[in-house]
Amino acid sequence: MNALFSPVNIVAMALFATALAWRIYQTYRAPRVLPNWAITVTIVCVAGSFLAQQKVISGWLDGLAGKGTGRLVNNVLLAFGVCALLLVFLGSALGPRRPRRVLFELVPLSGAIALMLVAMAITPPEKRGLALSPKLVHEPGVALFYLGAGLYLIYGLAACAWWIFRYIRTADRHLRTGLKLSAAGLICLSAGSVFRALYIVLAWAFGPSVPILLTVAVPLVILGIVLFLAGITYPGARARFAALRRRRQHRLHHERLTPLWTVLAEVYPNIVLRSTPQGPWERWRPRTVHRHYYRRVIEIRDGLVQLSPYLETDLTTLAVDDPLAAAEALKTAIARQAAGEETDGRAKLVLPGGGADIESDVRPLLALSAAISRNGA
């Protein structure tokens, strides 16, 4: 059991869990997008394959359905995962030709699985499920099993890496990083499969085995799995961190805008938007923070627009250049409004034009709100 929780396995399982949670979330949000399902199947199959090769789980499977079951499940799940990943790229690139090509890709997958089943059947029971080694490489069933599984992995992984390199050119910067990591992982996995296939072929062609080929293949496979998982996890993890950072910023800005909002809401109570009924879990949802933030910005804008006929200066520009003077100008405008002073009634521009987004509009409001807080307006 301790081997199951080795450092490498813990890292791999953490990456599997993160990647799977993110893909399930994406599939839940867009259940009709087939690539989401295919990538989820890929992660489930690769994770299942990884677990099936652990001695504890492999031994349990062997005891449940016969010796060699764990090794068979491991390789079959890995083949299914590679096929599902390949279908992701084919589905995105082929358009109307997708159904025919999907059926075509099931042919080599079925052939590889059938070959593994036949190989397992002709292997003596006492040798089924054993790892490839110099003592077993000349056993026909064992060699055929690993060669069939390896050849399909070489084909599928190399094809996936080729499609990734084609897609990298059109991907955005952050997705490109994840794709490069995934491609590197697939190349490592494919190279490991090549070394294993060479080990079998050379042993059968020339007699003696070359153990160094297996020695090189094992770390390549481990490195490939970690890189692939890191690649498919990176875009989602980065998006989650960015969302958390944005949520934290909106919560902070909401609080910092309170002094300005309070002053305007006291003068114009009608700017406060009506609250909508909320469910018991609404306050804990991420979108609630953003909704409160945008609502506060809108209410402040409305208040400044209503107050703008009483303003004698560009308040938000002044807030950036001289926040204290802006606070005094706002106080003067509020006093003129309270006194019922006559104006032309025309609303003025209260936020500088040319802002790329709402965050650009909020910067001068934050400066003005900070000045009001310091000035006690």
Side-chain angles (χ1 to χ4, degrees):
M1 181 67 72
N2 291 336
L4 182 62
F5 297 102
S6 65
V8 173
N9 286 355
I10 290 174
V11 171
M13 286 189 286
L15 288 172
F16 276 127
T18 304
L20 184 58
W22 174 246
R23 293 317 314 180
I24 290 175
Y25 173 70
Q26 291 293 312
T27 305
Y28 170 76
R29 291 188 61 184
R32 296 185 180 181
V33 178
L34 293 181
N36 284 340
W37 286 98
I39 296 176
T40 303
V41 169
T42 297
I43 297 172
V44 170
C45 288
V46 175
S49 173
F50 176 80
L51 291 174
Q53 69 182 350
Q54 305 304 313
K55 288 185 179 180
V56 174
I57 298 176
S58 179
W60 176 76
L61 289 172
D62 288 352
L64 188 67
K67 195 169 183 180
T69 303
R71 188 73 62 175
L72 181 64
V73 170
N74 166 28
N75 285 274
V76 169
L77 283 177
L78 190 56
F80 268 113
V82 171
C83 183
L85 183 62
L86 182 55
L87 293 181
V88 172
F89 298 108
L90 293 176
S92 301
L94 296 178
R97 296 179 295 164
R98 179 172 54 193
R100 183 180 300 177
R101 184 59 185 272
V102 167
L103 291 175
F104 174 79
E105 288 302 327
L106 295 179
V107 174
L109 174 65
S110 302
I113 294 174
L115 187 60
M116 284 188 279
L117 290 171
V118 171
M120 187 65 71
I122 65 175
T123 302
E126 67 276 7
K127 296 180 180 179
R128 293 175 184 174
L130 297 179
L132 191 62
S133 66
K135 293 181 179 180
L136 292 175
V137 69
H138 293 97
E139 175 64 45
V142 174
L144 188 63
F145 178 87
Y146 284 105
L147 189 61
L151 289 177
Y152 181 77
L153 291 181
I154 293 169
Y155 160 73
L157 293 170
C160 290
W162 183 79
W163 280 106
I164 287 178
F165 280 118
R166 283 195 60 181
Y167 187 65
I168 280 177
R169 292 175 293 179
T170 59
D172 62 62
R173 181 168 59 92
H174 302 302
L175 181 57
R176 196 179 302 133
T177 301
L179 289 174
K180 287 179 180 178
L181 287 172
S182 296
L186 293 176
I187 291 172
C188 288
L189 286 167
S190 182
S193 299
V194 169
F195 280 117
R196 190 172 70 174
L198 281 175
Y199 175 81
I200 297 171
V201 172
L202 290 176
W204 276 82
F206 301 104
S209 60
V210 187
I212 187 65
L213 293 174
L214 283 184
T215 304
V216 174
V218 172
L220 280 174
V221 170
I222 295 174
L223 178 62
I225 290 175
V226 173
L227 287 175
F228 173 72
L229 289 173
I232 60 177
T233 303
Y234 175 80
R238 190 188 180 283
R240 288 298 90 197
F241 280 122
L244 288 173
R245 186 169 59 249
R246 190 162 180 262
R247 194 184 313 159
R248 179 178 177 275
Q249 182 186 55
H250 282 183
R251 185 181 291 110
L252 178 62
H253 286 180
H254 181 273
E255 294 174 0
R256 290 171 58 188
L257 289 170
T258 298
L260 176 58
W261 176 85
T262 302
V263 169
L264 293 173
E266 288 176 354
V267 178
Y268 298 108
N270 62 308
I271 67 172
V272 180
L273 300 174
R274 187 180 63 178
S275 299
T276 56
Q278 297 183 357
W281 300 103
E282 191 68 23
R283 61 175 297 186
W284 304 107
R285 293 182 178 178
R287 64 183 182 185
T288 302
V289 173
H290 303 305
R291 183 168 62 245
H292 289 170
Y293 167 73
Y294 292 127
R295 173 175 171 163
R296 175 146 295 183
V297 173
I298 292 170
E299 290 171 348
I300 289 174
R301 278 176 163 179
D302 290 346
L304 289 176
V305 169
Q306 294 187 46
L307 187 63
S308 63
Y310 299 96
L311 292 171
E312 298 178 347
T313 183
D314 186 345
L315 191 63
T316 52
T317 300
L318 185 60
V320 176
D321 299 332
D322 189 350
L324 293 178
E328 287 296 333
L330 181 66
K331 183 186 293 186
T332 301
I334 291 174
R336 293 177 61 193
Q337 188 271 348
E341 185 176 317
E342 291 291 332
T343 66
D344 58 8
R346 294 181 180 179
K348 300 182 179 67
L349 182 67
V350 294
L351 290 173
D357 51 26
I358 192 171
E359 310 299 337
S360 301
D361 291 344
V362 169
R363 292 189 193 103
L365 298 181
L366 290 170
L368 180 59
S369 186
I372 290 172
S373 180
R374 290 195 301 269
N375 201 40

